[in-house]
Amino acid sequence: MAGSGEQGLYSRQLYVLGGGARRLAEAAVLVSGLRGTGAQVAAALVLAGTGRVVLHDSGAVRTGDLSHQFLLGGNDVGQNRAEVSQRALAELNPHVVVAAHTEELSEAFLASFQVVVLTESPLEEQLWIGDFCHVRGICFIVADTKGLAGQLFCDFGEHFVVEDPAEGDPVCAIIQHISQGNPGVVTCIGTEDSHGHLFCDGDLVTFSGVEGMSELNGQKPIPVHVLDAFRLEIGDTSSFSPYCCGGLVLQERLPQVHSYKSLRQALAEPRIQVASPDVLLRSQSLHAAFQALHIFCKEQGHLPRPRARADAERMLELARSLRTQQGLLDEYVVRAFASVSAGDLCPMAAVVGAMAAQEALKAITGKFLPLDQWLYFDALECLELEEAMQLTEEDCAPRGTRYDGQIAVFGATFQEQLGHQKYLVVGAGAIGCELLKNFAMMGLAAGPGGHLTVTDMDTIALSNLHRQLLYRSSDISKPKSVVAAAAIQRMNPDVSVTAHQNEVGPATESLYGDDFFQHLNGVTSALDSMEARTYLENRCVRCLTPLLDSGTEGPRGNVLAMVPFLTKPLEPAGASRDGTFPFCTLRYFPRTIQHTLQETSPGIPFWTGDRSCPHPLTFDPDNNTHLQYILATAHLFAKAHKVPPCSDQAATQTILRSTVLPPFLPQEELNIPLAEEQEEVQAPEDHGRLVKLTQDLVQKREELLGGEEVQVPLMEPIHFEKDNDIHVDFITAASNLRAENYGIPPADWLMSKRIAGRIVPAIITTTAAVAGLVCLEVYKLVWGCQDLKCYRNSNLCLSDCLLLRIQPLPPTTYWYGGKEWSCWDHLELQAVGADGKEMTVQEVLDWLQRTYGWSVTMLLHGYTVIYDKEEDEEIQAQQQAQRLSEKLEHAREMRRLELLYVCEGEDAEASNRRPPLLCSLP
């Protein structure tokens, strides 16, 4: 019942990939080409637990590889890339066999793999290997990045079975009524938020637990037609028995068969997947540009030289010849692509490599729809900045440094600017690890005056290792920030980094105050708490500090850019991600397994609708759920009393079979509310009972000891830990017993762990891609870009291989005091009075009157009133004479007060439309 060691390691990934994830251990994948993109593919596959990963590369490590291939170090220059990468990847996951292959590829060698991934491969090689894989039914992937553009291609054969095409759990709804008719109509009970069911037209469903119209139970899947948020049509039910009560309707996901063209066919007849129709021409132009690049390299013997106009024009000629029979060509895209195609960028490799790795995981697991068949991704908007457009061949020529691939795109001066940056990275989890790895490769904070600060309160756990690249099993229980900082310094010794173990919040404002934020060039947020993310956003708005916020959930991810005075502040989505459940899910009358895992209309029969009538359970030691409950409970009692637990299941069963249990008697005077709304009233009573129970236990212990000095072991309280298998064993068994009471389908161990532990599904591919997208925005911030159209917010869905990048919204404006203000604006006051000391309240009031013509009637700091014109004259005089921070607790430590004010003549809506007043204390 308990999770194995591998379940503990891969649990977050199992929630994403489902049962198909268990096929990973038997799979063999070849990754050919071990520069930046190939390294990202291979690392993701190794961390995910792919059984055998073979690395192929016949080339030697060059100094320029060190800016985008994170598995290499300075001492590896001159050695074979595959062999060096093999040594690094083997440390990531001892459950995976990682091997290196340095010879030429042959058909006999390729035949042993389930998936073949080519990166950095010439077209001739791609074609013959693609033909071979297509015939043999080997899933074939091409992934390539050149400068600021990337290409991805998939051919999974002519008969590829997708076992489960969708993400998340199948949709389920509770039945309230089913009509007899043609068609019959199923009425569902609303969800917690009253949004109704989540079925779509054409979904296939099955029924279970229906009483009365029992003919539906066990039927083959049937399609539904959605009438509205609560009703579904299901076909002819006119001959069925009348519906009585109960039942669930469950979505059934049937396997799908997909067919793919070979690479040779797909080049001429491309199916290009795009997130929106308006980017199709851009993708078609990149399709031609990549083909033209292969021809150019074969013709010239090298990639187009950075910013070389003649090379770009030749590329355009070749692309035009390829597009003569295929339609229009965006010539700007081809020229821009050609001008930087010799560049190598770590963020691009991260995005394309992660997406390619996800396609390989789809090929192995049968989970999610594979790419059909081409995808192109670019960040050519980075070249639209004024400084970038002025770069010359000389600016981008190689310098013989590790950053030559980045210099080829952005120039040598920009590389120096990267080194000077000061950044705060909040969170060193999955995204944080990928961000820090990318920063080290890019050379962010690797020059004079540059510095990275990374802070994370957490320590490394086993479940982190399958997606948090910088950690190893030997690091378990160590501080994340400390280990991460040391890891990136090994990657790039020039990076200046300091590790903190603090929360960024109100309690640490003495450390992370306004001065700290104002001296930063930017902040990246990799937090999983909406409260913490909102606080960080507010701090950055107040201090006018750029913020790049990112998050993931399973195969989905997003990146939001917040640039002072240029974009609208982030305003994160309101859905709670802080690990809390609405109180309304804690049920006296549970309807779903979630309700059993979180415990605590007139004229209609009580046991109808959303209330299922419970039935008593008779204990059976041969029932596995009953037995596991006893074993898990006994184990917890043993731990609490500090005695060795019994692990002999057979002996336990023998004892239980001879145990005679007293008959069940309902507890007297037990009050169960008949309405869910009464549950909140019950919570304080439960807390009081817990306090009393604790006091009773202390008293009982004293009575048992009788004042004697007896060495009796003290009881040890047990706090729930989601990664402790015994704790999850108990939760699973207890919730499934209650589910059995109410006729609810039970949950397996993993599902119970996810619900009780409030675990967000996570996978390395999503976090790596999201971090790459963040770093593309960092480039723009380093340029000091003030052109809104160059920035991008990104939404990623790897389950469908979709990436949508859109321009952020401009900041909102409002009118106050006869002037238009931006949401970024605030009033700045150096609060030094005429005597050189801190201003008095009256001096602040005078400054507002003198500077803006505003007569202030009230001045506040938070909820503390500093001045109120409605007070009597004596109190007003006292308020006006006092120093600004005189009555404010901790104000002197902050050194910068944010004050609110109310002016004469304000209308009722002005409270949300006035710029804050920031007073800097002397």
Side-chain angles (χ1 to χ4, degrees):
M1 183 176 182
S4 66
E6 290 198 15
Q7 277 187 330
L9 174 62
Y10 300 120
S11 60
R12 277 60 170 173
Q13 175 177 278
L14 287 169
Y15 300 132
V16 182
L17 299 180
R22 292 177 173 82
R23 301 175 190 166
L24 284 168
E26 307 301 321
V29 180
L30 172 68
V31 179
S32 178
L34 265 297
R35 300 184 77 236
T37 304
Q40 189 71 64
V41 175
L45 293 175
V46 170
L47 287 169
T50 308
R52 179 169 167 257
V53 178
V54 178
L55 315 174
H56 168 254
D57 200 312
S58 57
V61 177
R62 298 176 295 178
T63 301
D65 292 335
L66 303 181
S67 69
H68 56 99
Q69 218 283 33
F70 54 91
L71 302 172
L72 310 177
N75 296 331
D76 299 324
V77 173
Q79 300 182 52
N80 177 269
R81 273 193 292 262
E83 292 177 342
V84 174
S85 300
Q86 184 275 334
R87 293 194 292 269
L89 288 173
E91 296 178 355
L92 280 183
N93 193 339
H95 302 286
V96 175
V97 176
V98 184
H101 183 78
T102 61
E103 305 298 323
E104 289 188 4
L105 298 176
S106 66
E107 291 186 353
F109 180 73
L110 293 169
S112 64
F113 296 99
Q114 186 176 344
V115 183
V116 170
V117 183
L118 299 186
T119 71
E120 304 287 338
S121 176
L123 184 59
E124 292 80 1
E125 183 179 62
Q126 293 178 17
L127 289 170
W128 81 258
I129 293 178
D131 289 342
F132 175 81
C133 291
H134 188 80
V135 171
R136 293 296 188 95
I138 299 170
C139 293
F140 176 65
I141 299 170
V142 174
D144 203 1
T145 55
K146 291 291 184 287
L148 283 164
Q151 175 190 61
L152 187 58
F153 170 77
C154 290
D155 168 20
F156 288 4
E158 295 179 2
H159 188 87
F160 180 78
V161 178
V162 181
E163 299 290 347
D164 187 356
E167 62 180 281
D169 299 322
V171 176
C172 181
I174 300 162
I175 299 168
Q176 187 174 47
H177 185 263
I178 307 174
S179 68
Q180 288 176 297
N182 187 12
V185 176
V186 178
T187 303
C188 302
I189 294 170
T191 57
E192 305 286 346
D193 50 12
S194 300
H195 288 167
H197 64 72
L198 298 175
F199 292 102
C200 297
D201 257 356
D203 277 351
L204 296 174
V205 301
T206 57
F207 293 83
S208 65
V210 175
E211 297 182 27
M213 197 177 284
S214 57
E215 295 91 339
L216 285 173
N217 296 328
Q219 268 199 359
K220 292 181 179 180
I222 57 176
V224 298
H225 171 61
V226 175
L227 293 178
D228 55 35
F230 297 91
R231 296 182 303 154
L232 306 166
E233 286 184 348
I234 59 168
D236 190 358
T237 60
S238 55
S239 63
F240 292 173
S241 307
Y243 173 79
C244 178
C245 63
L248 297 174
V249 54
L250 179 68
Q251 179 190 37
E252 288 290 323
R253 296 175 179 166
L254 300 183
Q256 300 178 5
V257 178
H258 290 257
S259 180
Y260 300 86
K261 298 176 184 177
S262 69
L263 175 64
R264 196 176 298 274
Q265 287 180 286
L267 275 172
E269 304 167 6
R271 295 202 299 256
I272 301 176
Q273 189 162 303
V274 293
S276 60
D278 58 333
V279 297
L280 180 58
L281 176 59
R282 193 178 189 93
S283 293
Q284 290 171 337
S285 300
L286 285 170
H287 183 72
F290 268 92
Q291 291 180 72
L293 187 66
H294 286 292
I295 300 171
F296 182 97
C297 292
K298 188 173 182 180
E299 175 184 282
Q300 304 290 331
H302 59 78
L303 288 164
R305 292 163 296 177
R307 309 288 170 164
R309 183 169 297 179
D311 288 359
E313 290 303 318
R314 177 57 184 155
M315 275 279 294
L316 184 57
E317 289 177 16
L318 294 170
R320 284 174 181 153
S321 67
L322 291 168
R323 290 295 295 170
T324 51
Q325 297 180 355
Q326 296 182 25
L328 299 174
L329 188 73
D330 187 327
E331 295 190 355
Y332 166 78
V333 168
V334 177
R335 283 196 182 96
F337 169 76
S339 71
V340 296
S341 59
D344 292 304
L345 299 177
C346 178
M348 291 297 302
V351 175
V352 175
M355 297 180 83
Q358 185 66 56
E359 295 307 303
L361 295 177
K362 293 177 184 179
I364 297 166
T365 64
K367 176 66 174 176
F368 303 141
L369 290 173
L371 170 64
D372 184 28
Q373 286 192 263
W374 293 97
L375 181 136
Y376 288 92
F377 162 67
D378 76 88
L380 293 171
E381 74 277 357
C382 292
L383 302 181
E384 296 175 16
L385 287 80
E386 183 178 352
E387 295 88 344
M389 290 189 288
Q390 295 173 358
L391 291 172
T392 65
E393 278 191 69
E394 185 179 350
D395 295 328
C396 301
R399 265 65 171 173
T401 72
R402 67 183 294 155
Y403 304 115
D404 277 357
Q406 200 159 248
I407 290 171
V409 179
F410 297 120
T413 301
F414 177 81
Q415 187 61 50
E416 293 177 6
Q417 290 178 259
L418 272 169
H420 302 328
Q421 298 295 297
K422 295 180 179 68
Y423 263 73
L424 170 66
V425 180
V426 187
I431 299 176
C433 280
E434 291 292 325
L435 286 173
L436 290 166
K437 174 261 288 180
N438 292 348
F439 289 168
M441 296 294 97
M442 294 159 59
L444 191 78
H451 194 74
L452 291 178
T453 302
V454 55
T455 186
D456 195 306
M457 300 172 64
D458 206 358
T459 56
I460 298 162
L462 174 66
S463 60
N464 299 149
L465 300 184
H466 86 278
R467 69 194 188 282
Q468 299 185 12
L469 178 75
L470 301 180
Y471 308 136
R472 307 291 182 268
S473 57
S474 59
D475 297 322
I476 288 175
S477 298
K478 295 179 183 177
K480 285 185 174 181
S481 59
V482 174
V483 176
I488 66 167
Q489 283 191 309
R490 289 192 296 271
M491 290 180 175
N492 186 347
D494 294 331
V495 171
S496 174
V497 58
T498 300
H500 292 178
Q501 298 171 51
N502 307 311
E503 179 184 25
V504 179
T508 57
E509 286 186 4
S510 59
L511 179 61
Y512 307 115
D514 287 0
D515 287 346
F516 177 85
F517 275 91
Q518 287 172 332
H519 283 87
L520 295 172
N521 296 105
V523 177
T524 59
S525 165
L527 295 163
D528 56 7
S529 160
M530 291 307 299
E531 181 181 1
R533 292 168 80 176
T534 301
Y535 173 84
L536 189 60
E537 177 206 338
N538 291 336
R539 293 294 292 169
C540 289
V541 169
R542 168 176 165 145
C543 298
L544 304 181
T545 306
L547 171 65
L548 298 173
D549 181 77
S550 56
T552 70
E553 183 171 358
R556 295 179 179 269
N558 72 288
V559 176
L560 299 172
M562 190 177 84
V563 186
F565 298 106
L566 197 64
T567 72
K568 186 178 180 181
L570 300 182
E571 299 179 6
S576 174
R577 293 195 181 206
D578 59 2
T580 61
F581 277 77
F583 202 86
C584 56
T585 66
L586 313 184
R587 296 285 175 177
Y588 283 103
F589 310 107
R591 304 193 305 256
T592 69
I593 194 66
Q594 282 85 351
H595 298 157
T596 72
L597 279 157
Q598 301 292 328
E599 268 316 309
T600 66
S601 56
I604 301 175
F606 186 79
W607 297 114
T608 58
D610 63 347
R611 295 192 180 100
S612 299
C613 182
H615 63 276
L617 304 181
T618 302
F619 175 70
D620 179 2
D622 295 314
N623 181 306
N624 189 60
T625 301
H626 298 191
L627 178 62
Q628 292 301 329
Y629 175 77
I630 296 295
L631 288 169
T633 305
H635 200 134
L636 292 177
F637 271 113
K639 183 172 178 60
H641 289 277
K642 298 184 178 180
V643 298
C646 174
S647 57
D648 189 335
Q649 184 165 316
T652 303
Q653 257 180 319
T654 301
I655 294 171
L656 291 173
R657 288 191 184 107
S658 60
T659 301
V660 178
L661 297 176
F664 169 76
L665 294 175
Q667 183 178 338
E668 292 184 5
E669 300 180 357
L670 177 64
N671 176 39
I672 298 179
L674 300 184
E676 303 293 352
E677 291 75 14
Q678 297 178 30
E679 292 176 22
E680 288 195 50
V681 179
Q682 186 71 19
E685 294 181 16
D686 290 342
H687 177 73
R689 290 172 59 195
L690 181 61
V691 172
K692 186 176 186 305
L693 178 61
T694 305
Q695 294 170 344
D696 290 346
L697 285 171
V698 173
Q699 182 180 344
K700 289 290 184 184
R701 173 176 171 74
E702 291 174 352
E703 291 174 0
L704 287 170
L705 293 176
E708 298 180 15
E709 294 293 331
V710 181
Q711 294 298 317
V712 178
L714 291 173
M715 290 178 65
E716 180 179 272
I718 299 174
H719 302 283
F720 174 67
E721 170 50 53
K722 62 180 177 293
D723 287 317
N724 186 308
D725 289 352
I726 299 301
H727 294 191
V728 179
D729 287 349
F730 174 79
I731 293 290
T732 304
S735 65
N736 283 340
L737 284 175
R738 192 155 192 254
E740 191 176 335
N741 277 134
Y742 284 88
I744 298 168
D748 62 22
W749 191 88
L750 269 175
M751 183 179 181
S752 299
K753 177 175 179 175
R754 174 181 171 183
I755 297 170
R758 300 161 183 174
I759 294 171
V760 177
I763 193 167
I764 177 61
T765 49
T766 314
T767 54
V770 162
L773 293 167
V774 169
C775 292
L776 291 172
E777 302 309 303
V778 170
Y779 284 140
K780 301 162 191 177
L781 292 176
V782 175
W783 276 121
C785 173
Q786 288 298 307
D787 188 346
L788 182 63
K789 71 175 185 295
C790 291
Y791 286 96
R792 296 290 184 272
N793 288 342
S794 297
N795 286 292
L796 175 72
C797 182
L798 290 185
S799 58
D800 295 321
C801 202
L802 291 176
L803 173 57
L804 180 63
R805 302 175 75 225
I806 58 174
Q807 179 179 307
L809 294 173
T812 55
T813 60
Y814 57 92
W815 283 88
Y816 181 79
K819 181 182 175 182
E820 186 177 27
W821 302 85
S822 160
C823 56
W824 286 94
D825 286 324
H826 54 252
L827 313 182
E828 284 276 5
L829 171 61
Q830 294 295 321
V832 181
D835 57 2
K837 298 180 181 179
E838 182 182 314
M839 277 185 173
T840 64
V841 171
Q842 184 61 55
E843 286 177 307
V844 174
L845 300 176
D846 292 343
W847 180 84
L848 286 167
Q849 176 69 55
R850 183 172 64 252
T851 307
Y852 297 99
W854 299 342
S855 297
V856 173
T857 59
M858 183 174 287
L859 195 64
L860 306 97
H861 174 67
Y863 294 105
T864 302
V865 177
I866 300 174
Y867 169 74
D868 187 354
K869 193 176 181 180
E870 296 299 316
E871 296 285 358
D872 60 46
E873 290 185 2
E874 182 180 350
I875 294 178
Q876 274 192 58
Q878 292 174 354
Q879 291 175 336
Q880 292 164 337
Q882 71 188 23
R883 301 288 177 180
L884 194 56
S885 66
E886 191 174 322
K887 301 293 185 180
L888 302 179
E889 189 177 359
H890 305 304
R892 295 296 310 170
E893 299 171 12
M894 297 169 63
R895 298 193 57 77
R896 199 162 181 248
L897 299 180
E898 181 171 335
L899 303 183
L900 302 177
Y901 50 89
V902 178
C903 297
E904 285 184 354
E906 281 189 6
D907 57 36
E909 298 179 357
S911 59
N912 294 323
R913 294 187 289 109
R914 65 168 75 91
L917 170 60
L918 298 181
C919 299
S920 298
L921 306 181

